[in-house]
Amino acid sequence: MPLILAVALAASPTVAQMKWERRVLIVSASTAEDPALAEQRRILAGWKASAAARDLTVVEVVGDTVRGASDPAAALRRKYHLPTTFTAILIGKDGGEKLRSTKPFPTAALEATIDTMPMRKAGQR
């Protein structure tokens, strides 16, 4: 593993460490070939600036691999009761689960939910 990649991976915070700083969208699938995972990635790809403006970090749990956080996949699956099928969960800055779906989230649903959160409203003042 190249040293830069190793340092970048080591620097990723855990989901718990993001509490009060970031909102987290956990996207879980059993394999990288999951069509719902591909669709969620496509949806989010065009929404990067809006996600950044909303302090949103995407954490992918695909099989035994985690991208976006340093938590082990098994720990995230246990904590958030992630099934082996596609699941997306929006976690607020307070660490609480705000939305859960077995289908990819459209950006409109994410925006509507995040924009009504008290900490988002406070940040817009």
Side-chain angles (χ1 to χ4, degrees):
M1 181 183 305
L3 181 59
I4 295 168
L5 180 61
V7 171
L9 290 174
S12 288
T14 64
V15 172
Q17 289 169 332
M18 292 184 220
K19 189 174 181 179
W20 304 117
E21 300 292 323
R22 309 287 304 165
R23 292 175 185 91
V24 179
L25 178 63
I26 297 175
V27 179
S28 171
S30 57
T31 69
E33 291 75 36
D34 187 304
L37 174 64
E39 176 67 8
Q40 187 69 77
R41 285 175 173 167
R42 187 192 63 71
I43 290 167
L44 293 172
W47 197 64
K48 283 192 184 342
S50 293
R54 288 170 174 82
D55 300 330
L56 184 71
T57 295
V58 177
V59 174
E60 285 189 2
V61 183
V62 181
D64 292 331
T65 304
V66 176
R67 288 178 41 204
S70 59
D71 303 82
L76 290 175
R77 287 188 188 286
R78 225 179 3 262
K79 181 171 183 177
Y80 295 103
H81 308 287
L82 297 171
T84 55
T85 54
F86 177 87
T87 304
I89 305 171
L90 177 63
I91 307 294
K93 286 187 177 182
D94 63 358
E97 185 175 314
K98 307 304 179 189
L99 284 177
R100 177 182 285 255
S101 179
T102 56
K103 295 183 175 70
F105 283 126
T107 56
L110 293 171
E111 284 180 17
T113 302
I114 292 169
D115 290 352
T116 60
M117 291 178 175
M119 290 183 77
R120 170 73 174 159
K121 287 180 177 177
Q124 289 177 322
R125 287 190 193 117

